């Protein structure tokens, strides 16, 4: 069948427009982005911390250079660099270009990758500030105890969004740069919001699709609407809140679609009345706070369900310790040459954690909202079924918080700030008494004074054993990977890392990069010192050494080798030589 000339020309034009985005574009400077409701009266430090955490989650190095200005630096593969200033007030923020390296900067124009990174940073900041705003509004609505006896307030019936909603959505174009941009479209459908878990639906109207995604759990509701043909990076014009039987919302794209089309989605949602649905009563008794900081025992079980290729991961089980401290989470655990990757972000406001089993699936998502609010929790993660991966499975993760051990090698988690701990610490802090310090740590292991007590106790123990060596401190580390066996075209050649490592008296893990090659470093308190482990995933697996890698003196050299895998396709093996020299 012959394709008419005009139709063929139109197809070629669409392909050209979609694939040929200009390499050099005008520098993207977000217009003043309004802060979400509730943050206008918040201290600037709250907004500052929200921006700092959001930038760190997107791999930007964030630093406050003056009140109201945060300098962000993004280094990509040690080749490209973007530097911006995030200027913020109690009303809005903006992101200004400062400088760049190897991004083809030409006055007011720059490589399109810069604009992509800035839009991702902007999205992360807005998302995090929205989260903080919702937390603050929830806290303001929680009854506070003034200390004066009052009659209990009558219980209020909380609105439960679970159920069936009638949805009326209208897409209205605002920019139509080509004849194939979608015209006004309407969608009418019913949305089942009664089940807990992830939400993903697609609805069509005359060839134009409306995508709905989100999450519904006991304490978290999230919905996103998008029309891919009419824009990218869709965001609500005001915070989403399904807090009444009828809501009206507007979603706008931050950027145009690949074909340069823009539009707006207006949504009306009405909840259907269910006479059998039980109302829930809002509790007036706040739950005591739980602090996830500390050591957790993790048990992860992967059950393979689809193995279309020989390289798909088989069922496996990992058991390991994970130290949770505020900041970026990055850890790798191994079992029978099979890794499991743990990543995430831990801030004052929230904790995010993701698990990934390579060759076991892709784009893993929790079946319910991830929240560490108890001493033991179990979660289930599933890979995205819409991905093209030939491997499928289910990952069940159990996390159990371990009690803090009072030893010379262990740093006690620092979180709880109660008056009793403060009074006890002020009474003993100048006595330098070993027994008093041990009793304090036993009675207040999670107070904010515990770290100072551990330091004081360590000094007493060092005076009792003046010749003992303490591995805690700053070390200069030089690590070199030497290729030994594998596919020369796929396996890395010799790689060198030089970095400083601050060794503490608690379990810790670090990821060090050289270009695209990661070196995973783990330091674990052990009898007689601190035990180190090193792993380079792209250079081999099942790294082993002839003797324990213990830091027992100021200058130490380690050698560890990967498992020989000559019979495995696209596998590599090699040797890591690590030299560590204590500086402080």
């Amino acid at each position: 069948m012959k394709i008419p000339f005009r139709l063929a020309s139109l197809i070629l034009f669409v392909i050209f427009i979609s694939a040929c985005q200009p390499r050099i574009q005008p520098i993207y400077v977000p217009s003043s982005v309004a802060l979400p409701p509730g943050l206008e009266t918040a201290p600037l430090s709250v907004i500052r911390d929200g921006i700092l955490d959001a930038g760190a989650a997107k791999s930007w190095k964030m630093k406050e250079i003056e009140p109201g200005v945060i300098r962000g630096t993004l280094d990509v593969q040690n080749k490209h660099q973007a530097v911006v200033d995030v200027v913020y007030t109690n009303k809005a923020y903006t992101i200004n270009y400062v400088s760049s390296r190897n991004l083809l900067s030409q006055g007011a124009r720059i490589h399109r990758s810069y604009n992509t990174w800035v839009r991702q940073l902007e999205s992360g900041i807005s998302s995090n500030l929205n989260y903080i705003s919702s937390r603050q509004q929830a806290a303001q609505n929680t009854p506070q105890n003034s200390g004066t006896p009052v009659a209990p307030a009558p219980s209020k019936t909380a609105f439960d969004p679970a159920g069936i909603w009638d949805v009326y959505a209208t897409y209205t174009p605002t920019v139509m740069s080509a004849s194939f941009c979608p015209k006004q479209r309407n969608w009418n459908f019913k949305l089942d919001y009664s089940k807990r878990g992830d939400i993903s639906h697609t609805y069509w109207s005359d060839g134009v699709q409306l995508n709905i995604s989100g999450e519904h759990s006991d304490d978290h509701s999230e919905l996103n609407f998008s029309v891919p043909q009419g824009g990218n990076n869709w965001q609500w014009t005001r915070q989403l809140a399904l807090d009444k039987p009828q809501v009206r919302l507007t979603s706008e794209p931050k950027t145009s679609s690949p074909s340069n089309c823009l539009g707006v989605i207006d949504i009306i949602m009405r909840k259907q009345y269910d006479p059998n649905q039980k109302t829930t009563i809002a509790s007036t008794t706040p739950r005591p706070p739980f602090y996830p900081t500390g050591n957790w025992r993790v048990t992860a079980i992967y059950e393979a369900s689809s193995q279309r290729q020989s390289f798909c991961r088989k069922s496996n089980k990992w058991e390991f310790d994970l130290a949770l401290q505020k900041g970026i989470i990055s850890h790798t655990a191994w079992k029978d040459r099979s890794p499991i990757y743990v990543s995430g972000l831990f801030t004052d406001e929230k904790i995010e954690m993701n698990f990934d089993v390579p060759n076991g699936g892709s784009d893993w998502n929790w079946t319910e909202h991830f929240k560490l609010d108890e001493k033991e929790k179990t979660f289930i993660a599933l890979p995205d079924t819409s991905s093209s991966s030939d491997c499928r499975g289910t990952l069940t993760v159990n996390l159990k918080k371990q009690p803090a051990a009072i030893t010379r090698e262990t740093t006690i988690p620092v979180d709880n700030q109660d008056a009793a701990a403060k009074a006890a610490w002020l009474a003993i802090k100048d006595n330098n008494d070993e027994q008093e310090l041990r009793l304090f740590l036993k009675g207040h292991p999670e107070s904010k004074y515990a770290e100072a007590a551990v330091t004081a106790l360590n000094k007493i123990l060092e005076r009792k054993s003046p010749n003992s060596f303490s591995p805690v401190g700053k070390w200069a580390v030089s690590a070199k990977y030497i290729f030994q066996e594998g596919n020369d075209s796929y396996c890395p050649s010799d790689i060198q890392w030089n970095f400083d490592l601050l060794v503490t008296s608690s379990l810790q893990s670090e990821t060090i990069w050289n270009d695209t090659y990661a070196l995973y470093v783990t330091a674990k308190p052990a009898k007689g010192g601190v035990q180190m482990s090193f792993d380079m995933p792209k250079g081999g697996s099942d790294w082993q050494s002839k003797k324990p890698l213990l830091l027992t003196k100021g200058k130490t050299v380690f050698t560890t080798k990967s498992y020989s895998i000559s019979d495995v396709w696209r596998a590599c093996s090699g040797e890591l030589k690590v030299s560590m020299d204590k500086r402080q």
Side-chain angles (χ1 to χ4, degrees), residues 230-251:
N232 282 330
N233 302 321
W234 292 82
Q235 294 184 4
W236 300 113
T237 55
R238 60 182 177 87
Q239 186 176 355
L240 168 68
L242 296 180
D243 53 359
K244 49 190 176 183
Q246 178 170 322
V247 295
R248 183 162 189 167
L249 305 160
T250 302
S251 184

Side-chain angles (χ1 to χ4, degrees), residues 398-426:
N398 175 267
L399 298 101
K400 187 174 183 180
K401 191 174 185 183
Q402 303 298 297
I406 306 173
T407 65
R408 183 175 179 177
E409 293 84 10
T410 303
T411 298
I412 308 301
V414 182
D415 272 309
N416 192 19
Q417 304 180 20
D418 57 279
K422 180 179 180 180
W425 174 244
L426 293 176

